[in-house]
Amino acid sequence: MNQLIKKAAVLGSGVMGAGIAAHLANIGIPTLLLDIVPRELTKEEEAKGLTLADKQVRNRISAANLQKLLKQKPAPLAVKKNIALIEAGNLEDDLVQLKDVDWVIEVVIENLNVKKQVFEKVDQYRKTGSIISSNTSGISVEAMVEGRSDDFKKHFLGTHFFNPPRYLKLLEVIPSQYTAPEVLSFMKTFGEDVLGKGVVVAKDTPNFIANRIGTYGLLVTVQEMLKRGYSVGEVDSITGPLIGRAKSATFRTLDVVGLDTFYHVANNVYEKVEGKEKEVFAVPEFMKKMLDNGWLGSKSGQGFFLKKGKEILELDPVTLEYGPRKKLSALSVELSKQEKDTANKLKALIYADDRAGQFLWNTLSASLVYSAQLLGEIADNIVAIDRAMKWGFGWDMGPFEAWDAIGVEKSVKKLTEAGVEVPGWVTEMLEKGNSSFYLEENGELFFYHNGQYRLVEYNPKAIDLKKIKEQTGVIKKNSGASLIDLGDGVALLEFHSPNNAIGLDIVQMINFAVDEVEKNYKGLVIGNQGKNFCVGANLAMMLMEVQDDNIFELDMIVRQLHKALLKVKYSSKPVVAAPFGMTLGGGAEVCMPTAHIQASAETYMGLVEVGVGLLPGGGGNKELYMKHLENLPNGVPFDLQNVANKVFETIAMAKVSTSAEEARENNFLDASDGISVNSDHLIHDAKQAVLSLHEQGYKPKVRRKVPVVGETGYATLLLGAEAMRLSGYISEHDLKIAKKIAYVIAGGKVPFGTEVDEQYLLDLEKEAFLSLIAEPKSQQRMQHMLVKGKPLRN
């Protein structure tokens, strides 16, 4: 199918519709955002003398919802300027524009008749071959398409985004019996490669995959709580990260989603199923009373939890009164906390004969059995179900992965003894001598399907570093990092210290990696698949050294890091950084000198050392300043002081980008650097960037001198800092740090416009860094960050 989506239209501009439009704008697709025409004027419109015929009035709903995107948190737009790619309109005047649109996404109210009316109009105006989809969360795709033209039916499917569309990975794609195979195939590839989603093909059943199982699990949890007399807080304390689920656990999740939304989703299944399943989907009476009271959760100010001052109170489901939040304490909880991974935590909990173990066994085993019962009905295979739950609900493990973790044989025996009917295909699997749903052989993963194991398929762009290490081994490793052969003449330097924090071990591996690549490879990727790319230097190690008066040792470490990063910068082979998530302090300093940065769209990059009483010590001041200079247009006069001011402000205020696009606006990324929308494709894209640079005949950067603002510029920088201190915005110690940053960026005591060597700026930075780390107040800030995980203002 030779389809390109150059322009889209979103019909319905509520939170979800506007969020989808924002996601499309973030990836550069111009989008029409249409909504209904208002039936009456507002007082403001009347005062302006407007009528219902005015375009401003007719587009009011979509235009107002478009503006809300600029204020929403978390931000739907990667950078605010992306809003220019969205055009507001209405569903009466602007449907004619659908003739220019390649993809129409319906996001109107969850009502079948309303949706069918909208599609009837769309069918009149759309161009032949354009894709039409519904973002329904559970209405039958088959029913929506009744009465439409053959070309419409062929190009129609469900595309269920999860909210918020920018951040949540899952996209459920639901074909009807009429959907052309090539349309489904295109949408799957487009969803992964362009929209950056994890795409799962679901069947046309109530609530599809993730909401069907997720809602069932939530309701089983609520019912178990009521039956056994647990409290809301107790349940949340054991149904979150402890078992590999989101931090918001059960009831905090319901508060965030909104009880009204949850009720609608649960009721959608309740009306369409029968027997025992129907009983589970019946929302408990106390939740209906909460609905009547308007206690919907976060959006109404109270739900299962109520914040009073600094205290968070929990709801008593029996009395509907709020009281102190409780936590469930049990031996199994303490034992599970000592385990490192989710699989072992689950094992420690699930078979424990205490309040935590009993609760988790009753709720989790019910969800596992339910997932197995639905196989074939909601999805073709267990992989689709597991991925849907991980990508849509943020579970560490899908139901079948979790079942493997607790032991299929052991759990089935316990279920059978309790009189629970386990689906036949599971017992048949065990009878055949197969004891797990997944099987790993020779670095490949297989899943059980129709009596045999089949290879789990991945998008070829989703490189798995763990798998590569298992198959090809490691070139060299130490406690902090490994050098890996990515294939095709490209090596990868992977950080794996705690939090990927930079210490001497990583510095040593940077040196080794560059030497090895210059001799034997086409280029190097610096990347990993941890929680974050890198949150900076090893703070604990630095604090320990300074408290032991080992300033000489710290001096040596800083010099070594400077030397290693200059080696990266001037390597004869291209080095590409692949940052994602938190890329802070030393993480940003590793990226900036590279030949190219291939950043994940969700990269939060910044030099944040001020928060721990320091300034960037790995060349960050110099590198950010040089990036600002290099990004200025050639031959156009510029104000050097303005450049210094901008860099000073970014570092002194510890500005962190809220996306890779914003990192580009802050000059951490250059115009030529790349952004990967799908985080799973980041290493692949970085590898391709290395190969592309190699094929173009890569030439290393030439070392040049750097113009600085010197003494007069330093005085200018200090004026702003002094004004902030006098206004009470910053403390005396903040001012001391600001002065040091200003001195380094200004280039010290030299005349304005003096050109200096990079090493000179690095030496200034090192001296400033070492003087600050010796300050008691800086050490207090470091200690506070290590213990509390947040900055201290002293």
Side-chain angles (χ1 to χ4, degrees):
M1 180 177 176
N2 297 319
Q3 175 95 27
L4 278 175
I5 292 177
K6 295 177 184 171
K7 189 172 184 181
V10 176
L11 315 182
S13 70
V15 171
M16 201 66 198
I20 292 169
H23 186 64
L24 293 170
N26 288 337
I27 56 177
I29 296 176
T31 302
L32 274 172
L33 182 63
L34 310 182
D35 214 312
I36 57 171
V37 174
R39 295 289 170 250
E40 51 189 42
L41 295 168
T42 63
K43 287 177 183 175
E44 291 82 357
E45 287 165 343
E46 283 176 359
K48 287 178 185 172
L50 296 169
T51 71
L52 287 171
D54 285 305
K55 191 81 172 165
Q56 189 181 333
V57 174
R58 293 175 73 78
N59 289 351
R60 182 217 308 148
I61 294 170
S62 58
N65 286 333
L66 184 54
Q67 288 308 307
K68 283 179 188 172
L69 290 174
L70 298 170
K71 293 173 186 169
Q72 275 175 36
K73 291 226 167 21
L77 294 162
V79 280
K80 289 185 176 179
K81 68 181 182 186
N82 286 352
I83 201 167
L85 282 167
I86 309 171
E87 182 189 341
N90 69 71
L91 287 164
E92 290 178 21
D93 307 329
D94 299 305
L95 284 175
V96 66
Q97 292 193 60
L98 297 187
K99 70 182 190 317
D100 303 319
V101 162
D102 305 301
W103 181 22
V104 180
I105 312 156
E106 168 274 310
V107 201
V108 303
I109 189 168
E110 285 286 86
N111 178 298
L112 178 60
N113 290 331
V114 173
K115 288 179 187 289
K116 287 181 82 167
Q117 286 167 25
V118 168
F119 288 133
E120 189 179 354
K121 289 179 183 174
V122 170
D123 209 355
Q124 294 168 33
Y125 292 101
R126 64 176 282 267
K127 67 178 178 185
T128 303
S130 63
I131 291 173
I132 315 96
S133 70
S134 170
N135 183 63
T136 179
S137 58
I139 291 177
S140 169
V141 173
E142 207 81 35
M144 278 189 248
V145 83
E146 279 175 12
R148 300 282 52 82
S149 66
D150 287 346
D151 189 73
F152 187 109
K153 286 180 177 178
K154 184 180 166 186
H155 291 88
F156 180 78
L157 31 64
T159 51
H160 181 213
F161 287 82
F162 276 62
N163 193 29
R166 173 183 162 187
Y167 300 96
L168 280 192
K169 188 171 174 175
L170 181 61
L171 175 65
E172 290 177 323
V173 174
I174 310 100
S176 79
Q177 62 173 313
Y178 310 106
T179 309
E182 64 269 24
V183 172
L184 176 62
S185 175
F186 167 79
M187 213 58 213
K188 191 172 185 309
T189 305
F190 176 80
E192 289 173 353
D193 292 358
V194 183
L195 296 174
K197 296 295 172 194
V199 179
V200 167
V201 178
K203 300 206 171 192
D204 190 11
T205 55
N207 288 9
F208 312 127
I209 303 173
N211 277 343
R212 178 80 168 266
I213 291 172
T215 307
Y216 180 91
L218 277 163
L219 285 165
V220 162
T221 302
V222 174
Q223 287 154 9
E224 183 68 16
M225 174 189 78
L226 295 172
K227 199 194 301 179
R228 311 269 178 193
Y230 292 80
S231 88
V232 161
E234 283 181 323
V235 170
D236 266 17
S237 70
I238 58 167
T239 57
L242 196 68
I243 60 166
R245 303 285 171 86
K247 209 167 159 183
S248 51
T250 302
F251 293 104
R252 180 79 188 102
T253 296
L254 286 170
D255 274 355
V256 171
V257 168
L259 193 54
D260 50 345
T261 304
F262 176 76
Y263 181 79
H264 168 79
V265 172
N267 214 41
N268 190 45
V269 183
Y270 177 78
E271 288 170 358
K272 296 180 178 76
V273 295
E274 293 173 356
K276 283 186 178 178
E277 190 177 5
K278 195 177 189 77
E279 287 172 29
V280 175
F281 281 94
V283 174
E285 282 306 312
F286 88 96
M287 288 168 82
K288 291 178 183 173
K289 284 179 188 168
M290 288 174 70
L291 276 172
D292 293 341
N293 293 346
W295 299 352
L296 308 179
S298 303
K299 58 184 163 190
S300 66
Q302 71 185 97
F304 293 98
F305 294 101
L306 172 67
K307 195 170 183 185
K308 278 211 168 173
K310 288 190 174 179
E311 194 184 4
I312 295 172
L313 305 175
E314 63 171 60
L315 183 75
D316 183 324
V318 179
T319 64
L320 288 190
E321 290 174 356
Y322 290 93
R325 186 166 54 165
K326 301 184 192 81
K327 279 188 177 180
L328 198 156
S329 57
L331 179 62
S332 63
V333 171
E334 297 312 311
L335 289 172
S336 72
K337 284 177 182 173
Q338 292 167 26
E339 300 292 344
K340 283 189 177 174
D341 59 39
T342 305
N344 286 321
K345 283 179 192 292
L346 269 181
K347 246 184 271 184
L349 286 160
I350 208 81
Y351 297 114
D353 192 18
D354 59 22
R355 286 188 82 225
Q358 289 161 3
F359 183 87
L360 290 171
W361 168 260
N362 290 340
T363 52
L364 184 66
S365 64
S367 287
L368 300 182
V369 170
Y370 186 62
S371 301
Q373 286 168 345
L374 291 176
L375 183 66
E377 182 187 331
I378 61 171
D380 281 332
N381 57 61
I382 64 170
V383 178
I385 293 174
D386 278 349
R387 286 176 173 173
M389 299 319 298
K390 290 192 288 186
W391 295 341
F393 276 70
W395 293 7
D396 283 358
M397 294 189 289
F400 297 98
E401 291 169 330
W403 208 337
D404 273 352
I406 65 169
V408 185
E409 280 181 290
K410 187 177 178 180
S411 57
V412 166
K413 186 171 182 285
K414 186 172 175 176
L415 285 163
T416 310
E417 285 169 358
V420 176
E421 193 180 330
V422 177
W425 72 267
V426 177
T427 50
E428 185 187 290
M429 179 184 89
L430 292 172
E431 283 162 8
K432 283 187 172 180
N434 301 308
S435 59
S436 64
F437 297 107
Y438 290 94
L439 196 64
E440 211 171 319
E441 276 183 3
N442 304 320
E444 298 285 3
L445 190 63
F446 298 83
F447 69 98
Y448 189 79
H449 185 75
N450 289 344
Q452 58 187 5
Y453 285 97
R454 294 190 183 179
L455 187 66
V456 175
E457 289 181 11
Y458 297 93
N459 187 309
K461 293 180 183 176
I463 289 175
D464 183 348
L465 294 181
K466 182 172 173 274
K467 191 170 158 184
I468 285 177
K469 284 189 284 186
E470 283 169 3
Q471 289 174 339
T472 61
V474 171
I475 300 163
K476 187 175 180 178
K477 72 177 285 189
N478 64 20
S479 57
S482 295
L483 188 63
I484 305 159
D485 191 334
L486 272 187
D488 303 314
V490 180
L492 177 133
L493 179 62
E494 175 196 34
F495 297 170
H496 46 61
S497 61
N499 293 322
N500 293 342
I502 298 166
L504 258 183
D505 47 6
I506 283 181
V507 175
Q508 286 162 1
M509 282 301 294
I510 291 172
N511 283 316
F512 174 82
V514 176
D515 289 341
E516 179 68 17
V517 164
E518 286 191 323
K519 279 186 273 184
N520 299 315
Y521 290 84
K522 294 174 182 175
L524 175 70
V525 172
I526 302 177
N528 64 76
Q529 291 176 332
K531 190 180 173 188
N532 293 296
F533 176 77
C534 174
V535 296
N538 188 330
L539 204 58
M541 178 272 292
M542 292 195 301
L543 184 61
M544 191 171 69
E545 293 289 0
V546 74
Q547 287 177 343
D548 287 346
D549 286 332
N550 283 340
I551 291 293
F552 175 78
E553 185 80 16
L554 283 170
D555 182 289
M556 184 269 291
I557 292 168
V558 173
R559 274 188 287 115
Q560 294 273 22
L561 181 57
H562 286 170
K563 196 174 163 189
L565 294 180
L566 282 177
K567 198 169 188 172
V568 165
K569 186 171 185 176
Y570 296 109
S571 165
S572 62
K573 300 287 178 72
V575 180
V576 172
F580 62 93
M582 296 296 179
T583 303
L584 306 176
E589 289 176 310
V590 165
C591 295
M592 287 192 286
T594 59
H596 180 88
I597 298 174
Q598 183 68 36
S600 170
E602 298 304 326
T603 299
Y604 313 113
M605 193 179 264
L607 296 167
V608 296
E609 286 82 353
V610 169
V612 288
L614 303 171
L615 53 62
N621 307 278
K622 175 263 300 180
E623 209 57 55
L624 187 61
Y625 179 67
M626 288 183 76
K627 271 188 174 288
H628 274 71
L629 291 175
E630 285 160 8
N631 286 333
L632 293 167
N634 284 331
V636 178
F638 66 90
D639 185 338
L640 194 60
Q641 186 66 54
N642 276 349
V643 174
N645 293 351
K646 183 89 195 294
V647 177
F648 173 73
E649 186 185 304
T650 302
I651 297 172
M653 295 179 74
K655 285 187 179 177
V656 176
S657 69
T658 59
S659 66
E661 280 193 67
E662 197 175 295
R664 203 194 306 276
E665 287 187 348
N666 293 344
N667 277 302
F668 286 105
L669 268 63
D670 297 336
S672 60
D673 288 330
I675 295 175
S676 297
V677 182
N678 192 324
S679 57
D680 289 346
H681 300 177
L682 180 61
I683 299 293
H684 166 273
D685 295 346
K687 178 183 172 182
Q688 294 310 307
V690 168
L691 292 171
S692 174
L693 287 166
H694 170 77
E695 281 154 22
Q696 290 163 26
Y698 179 73
K699 296 283 186 291
K701 292 177 182 178
V702 177
R703 194 155 173 162
R704 292 189 175 93
K705 293 208 166 185
V706 189
V708 293
V709 293
E711 277 191 283
T712 54
Y714 172 60
T716 305
L717 292 174
L718 283 191
L719 281 173
E722 285 282 7
M724 286 179 79
R725 185 187 63 82
L726 291 169
S727 309
Y729 285 114
I730 62 173
S731 68
E732 282 289 344
H733 193 56
D734 289 323
L735 181 63
K736 184 176 276 190
I737 299 164
K739 283 180 177 178
K740 299 279 186 186
I741 296 167
Y743 191 76
V744 172
I745 290 164
K749 294 180 177 179
V750 295
F752 185 96
T754 301
E755 293 196 340
V756 299
D757 185 70
E758 280 183 76
Q759 190 58 54
Y760 168 80
L761 289 174
L762 287 173
D763 290 342
L764 285 182
E765 181 183 290
K766 176 170 67 72
E767 286 163 27
F769 178 85
L770 293 174
S771 69
L772 280 173
I773 204 169
E775 291 276 344
K777 285 194 173 180
S778 287
Q779 290 172 29
Q780 285 167 16
R781 289 189 181 191
M782 292 167 77
Q783 184 79 40
H784 194 270
M785 179 61 78
L786 286 167
V787 175
K788 305 274 188 184
K790 52 188 178 185
L792 169 71
R793 298 306 302 270
N794 58 355

